[in-house]
Amino acid sequence: MTQATAASDTTGFSTASEYPLRNGGQILVDQIRLHGTKRVFLVPGESYLPCIDALNEHKGAIEPIVCRQESGAGYMAEAYGKLTNEPGVCFVTRGPGATNASIAVHTAYQDSTPMILFIGQVGGDFIEREAFQEIDYRRMFGEMTKWVAQIDDTSRIPEYIARAYQVARSGRPGPVVLALPEDTLWGEAQVADVKPHPRLMTYPGQPQLDELKRLLASAERPFLLVGGSGWTRDAQVALEGFAERFDIPTGVAWRRLECVDAELPQYAGHVGMGMHAELRQQLVESDLVIAVGTRIGEATSEGYSWIQSPVPTQKLVHVYADPEELGRVYQPTLAINTDVNGFALALSTLSPDSAPRWSDITRAARTAYLATLEEQPSPGPLSLDKVSLTVDRILDGKGCITVGAGNYALYAHRYVRFRGLGSSLAPTVGSMGYGLPAAISSKLEFPERPAVCYAGDGCFQMNMQELGVALQYRVGIVVLVFNNGMWGTIRAHQENDFPGREIALTFTNPDFAALVTAYGGLGQVVEKDEDFEASFTRALEFADRERLPALIELRYDPDGIAPGKLLSGIREDALARNATTAQAGV
């Protein structure tokens, strides 16, 4: 039997009357197994106990991962969705559990990740009385989900679950939230399972492909921008083949570094906040941008600067799965409403009629990108540039690197050459605390691959309790904690906007290396360049051998705020700018 048809002992029944009487929890868990879910992330709660009990009937088929806090559970589910293109499933209890998990729902929404959050709810006999932990989830999650609903009838659970999976993964993927009243879960019904709907793939029409080729034929400085979610390996290979045939300079959208293999000869870099000046100038000067799968949001467009809204100066071919996104922010020259996989596979029919005129531009873009891999000067005895260059060399394209939010992530995004799907997990929404849960999820899904978490000292402490998951389930991840004793990104903004007025952004840290030993892991401290490589190698070996977390605390000069940038330099520039403004009488 396939995974989809081996759901439970009820498989093979054809009518509702042939199914056994089941409670709501049993019906629900039968459905999620039927839809292919093999792992669920949860923080237990009495409000959905029938679902927890029903997992007993699916031992060996559905693995429950018991997390320490709902944001960690939600992040793990979101990462699962990114890695598999199937909805990551998370269960939390009502009220506080739901509010804690909301950050992961917001992440899944802005990152276009398929995810389903199940929330326990008070029973129908108590509803609308502001009962214990009661919240109207339809109002709470309405702005950050594709669909939010409450299942008030036990017999309709299969219908709701089938729709949830379909909505979460279709069009622009995203999160679905379903509230589960206690009387729905404890209630019983004799109801048929609803089988999963086949995944729908859409393709561009031939006239659209012809117009794309015509636009390319008339272009002088085209650029291919790749992003979004839902990519398959076959589609990625097809897209990279298109980039090679037409020799188009190609970049990845903000924090979508896994979408293109960095070894592609046409790869030009990471587009968005913090990109290098040559790439930014190339985008400004381009006469045709082919944007595939990306919304070209604020971060990718650097505040809608290099591409203008609503009418770009460049011709724009915008390929996106959601028709409502096409024309919403930018008016495209050619809008193609299709999913990334259907579009990429259709590109195999296109080849240039003559040698591309822009090959010199492509070579220059590639050369400029390779130059960014050269180490930048940094203060102190430990260079974060060297750290990431060493990580890149040792991993050599293997495994997954995860980050949360903070300037420390710029080092991985600049120096690591990501090698395709599953190599990067980074929240485009810029949410902190993501890296550790995401690394755990990656290692659970691909236990044979390294999983390395980059985490700032503040970012790490937002979800460091999930080290308990790594201990409990023997998950051998490696964590690099960037310890500068402050909220670094905010300090950089503070110095830029209010130079010399430092306040409220520093903190005192624990001994991170000692902390991880309490979770059975290996803790190390590195303060000098010459010590990092041996320490990192040791951490990888320990994590692989013991299947437990290894952590390296990186203690470095906090003046090194970003690749090639000093915090003191930001302050000096801001003071000089303010002095010039004052002299001008502005």
Side-chain angles (χ1 to χ4, degrees), residues 27-236:
I27 296 170
L28 189 149
V29 177
D30 280 350
Q31 304 314 300
I32 67 172
R33 181 175 174 187
L34 186 68
H35 282 77
T37 295
K38 61 183 180 181
R39 186 175 299 115
V40 298
F41 304 91
L42 69 150
V43 175
E46 73 278 9
S47 62
Y48 68 95
L49 268 175
C51 295
I52 298 174
D53 177 73
L55 290 168
N56 279 294
E57 300 163 22
H58 301 273
K59 290 179 179 178
I62 299 177
E63 181 184 20
I65 303 297
V66 180
C67 303
R68 304 308 186 258
Q69 208 258 16
E70 290 85 0
S71 66
Y75 280 146
M76 290 183 205
E78 194 276 345
Y80 176 96
K82 276 193 173 88
L83 291 166
T84 66
N85 292 333
E86 294 294 334
V89 173
C90 181
F91 283 88
V92 299
T93 198
R94 62 193 176 218
T99 53
N100 282 340
S102 64
I103 187 172
V105 176
H106 186 214
T107 300
Y109 186 75
Q110 287 222 332
D111 283 46
S112 304
T113 304
M115 175 181 171
I116 301 174
L117 177 68
F118 292 107
I119 305 172
Q121 175 63 299
V122 301
D125 51 344
F126 290 170
I127 205 77
E128 296 292 349
R129 293 178 177 174
E130 197 184 341
F132 180 59
Q133 299 181 335
E134 180 186 351
I135 297 177
D136 184 342
Y137 300 110
R138 285 166 290 206
R139 286 193 293 167
M140 173 180 169
F141 287 101
E143 289 295 314
M144 63 174 97
T145 58
K146 291 189 69 177
W147 180 45
V148 55
Q150 182 166 299
I151 311 177
D152 292 317
D153 184 342
T154 305
S155 67
R156 294 187 65 187
I157 289 175
E159 170 195 344
Y160 274 80
I161 300 304
R163 179 178 172 186
Y165 276 82
Q166 184 66 8
V167 170
R169 68 182 191 176
S170 65
R172 175 188 174 184
V176 168
V177 171
L178 291 179
L180 310 170
E182 287 189 9
D183 48 346
T184 299
L185 294 181
W186 285 96
E188 296 182 325
Q190 197 169 16
V191 61
D193 295 332
V194 176
K195 294 181 180 180
H197 190 278
R199 182 182 294 275
L200 178 65
M201 185 181 293
T202 56
Y203 298 85
Q206 190 59 48
Q208 293 172 315
L209 292 173
D210 292 342
E211 178 64 6
L212 170 60
K213 187 173 180 180
R214 188 194 69 78
L215 288 169
L216 267 170
S218 62
E220 298 293 335
R221 302 180 66 90
F223 192 91
L224 177 61
L225 178 61
V226 186
S229 61
W231 288 89
T232 66
R233 180 57 186 153
D234 287 346
Q236 188 177 59

Side-chain angles (χ1 to χ4, degrees), residues 69 86 140 185 196 220 233 269 280 321 333 364 381 387 396 427 433 441 480 522 557:
Q69 208 258 16
E86 294 294 334
M140 173 180 169
L185 294 181
E220 298 293 335
R233 180 57 186 153
R280 183 183 302 106
T333 306
V387 163
D396 192 25
S441 192
L480 305 181
L522 171 68
D557 188 336

Side-chain angles (χ1 to χ4, degrees), residues 242-266:
F242 168 78
E244 288 185 294
R245 289 194 304 278
F246 284 86
D247 202 21
I248 307 176
T250 302
V252 290
W254 167 249
R255 292 195 156 199
R256 297 295 193 182
L257 293 115
E258 73 281 2
C259 286
V260 174
D261 188 332
E263 292 302 289
L264 182 76
Q266 288 73 28

Side-chain angles (χ1 to χ4, degrees), residues 39 46 95 130 189 207 301 328 335 366 399 417 460 527 548 563 585:
R39 186 175 299 115
E46 73 278 9
E130 197 184 341
S301 66
R328 177 186 175 197
R366 179 66 178 174
R417 291 165 294 174
F460 177 68
E527 299 181 277
L548 286 167

